[in-house]
Amino acid sequence: LTDYVDPPCLIEPGEHPFATKTTSVELHRAKLWPLDKLIECEENGSLTRSNPVPESIRSRILGAINQPNGLDPFHPSIREFLRTHGFA
């Protein structure tokens, strides 16, 4: 695990196919990427699509985003994107 761990965002083995050991979603590293860049990365093999995040994990991540803990790990543009699309 990294030094920055948000307990609601811990993912245990078996919760997602890529989780082979306890890991966490690093909210503070979230980024918005332009679609053309994502397509380019997928085409050159540096990005691989995986299964969608299960609802149980998605709910925990969204819950962590909305926690009033005084720390907003999201850049304002990402938070606005999430709000605009009904996620936060």
Side-chain angles (χ1 to χ4, degrees), residues 43-64:
E43 289 174 350
N44 73 24
S46 62
L47 175 71
T48 304
R49 288 184 193 225
S50 69
N51 297 332
V53 173
E55 180 59 32
S56 60
I57 296 173
R58 182 181 165 276
S59 294
R60 290 198 319 260
I61 293 169
L62 294 177

Side-chain angles (χ1 to χ4, degrees), residues 19-31:
T20 58
K21 61 182 181 178
T22 300
T23 189
S24 73
V25 175
E26 297 182 356
L27 297 176
H28 67 289
R29 295 182 65 180
K31 295 180 183 177

Side-chain angles (χ1 to χ4, degrees), residues 4-88:
Y4 182 95
V5 175
D6 195 347
C9 295
L10 288 177
I11 300 172
E12 298 296 335
E15 287 189 276
H16 189 278
F18 284 168
T20 58
K21 61 182 181 178
T22 300
T23 189
S24 73
V25 175
E26 297 182 356
L27 297 176
H28 67 289
R29 295 182 65 180
K31 295 180 183 177
L32 289 178
W33 288 66
L35 180 57
D36 60 334
K37 181 66 174 174
L38 292 173
I39 292 169
E40 175 188 329
C41 290
E42 185 176 32
E43 289 174 350
N44 73 24
S46 62
L47 175 71
T48 304
R49 288 184 193 225
S50 69
N51 297 332
V53 173
E55 180 59 32
S56 60
I57 296 173
R58 182 181 165 276
S59 294
R60 290 198 319 260
I61 293 169
L62 294 177
I65 291 169
N66 292 313
Q67 284 182 358
N69 61 2
L71 174 63
D72 182 358
F74 285 94
H75 186 278
S77 65
I78 294 173
R79 184 169 282 281
E80 182 58 30
F81 174 85
L82 293 170
R83 284 190 180 122
T84 300
H85 291 85
F87 291 107

